[in-house]
Amino acid sequence: MYFLKYITEIIMILVIYGSSLVHAETLNINCGVPSYLKWGEYSEKWEKPQNPIYREMIIQIDFDLYRSRVKYQNKWYSWAYSNTENDIIKWKYSKKFSYSYNLKKNELIEKQDELLFKYLNCRSVL
């Protein structure tokens, strides 16, 4: 009985110690509120919103573990696998919800089914 207890404690200590060693560097980016929107992914015309859209978006990118996530309405959503192509980081939660962040332009495009939001002038947050 005591033997099993000690083995369990040793395993717990190893798990806690091992997880503390795994520390990935993440980049936090505040994108503010969307500047443009459009309907349909293949339409070329972005439009300024008629009324202000209060959707402040913060994203987090982990370059070591190839994953990204978003914070919307003060809630972090789960990490999703991200890939990088030509300085554009893409990740998606489903077919209807996906994100694309352009590192050179500091722009985020959020896709919600047929509605797309474009965030300009995203900036790093410490």
Side-chain angles (χ1 to χ4, degrees), residues 34-109:
S35 303
Y36 294 95
L37 61 86
K38 71 177 178 177
W39 291 95
E41 189 171 0
Y42 302 106
S43 172
E44 293 297 321
K45 187 175 180 183
W46 288 94
E47 298 177 13
K48 283 194 170 232
Q50 297 289 333
N51 299 315
I53 300 173
Y54 300 104
R55 286 182 61 78
E56 186 162 348
M57 185 67 65
I58 298 173
I59 62 174
Q60 207 170 45
I61 301 170
D62 184 335
F63 293 102
D64 293 336
L65 299 175
Y66 305 106
R67 62 186 188 169
S68 300
R69 66 181 180 166
V70 297
K71 183 178 184 180
Y72 173 64
Q73 293 182 339
N74 292 324
K75 178 183 175 188
W76 281 108
Y77 285 84
S78 63
W79 289 101
Y81 172 76
S82 62
N83 60 347
T84 306
E85 257 181 54
N86 299 328
D87 293 324
I88 297 176
I89 300 166
K90 296 181 180 183
W91 70 99
K92 62 182 176 180
Y93 291 107
S94 68
K95 284 185 176 182
K96 293 185 178 186
F97 295 97
S98 64
Y99 297 87
S100 176
Y101 181 70
N102 189 322
L103 288 166
K104 286 185 178 178
K105 295 181 180 179
N106 293 325
E107 293 178 356
L108 175 70
I109 295 177

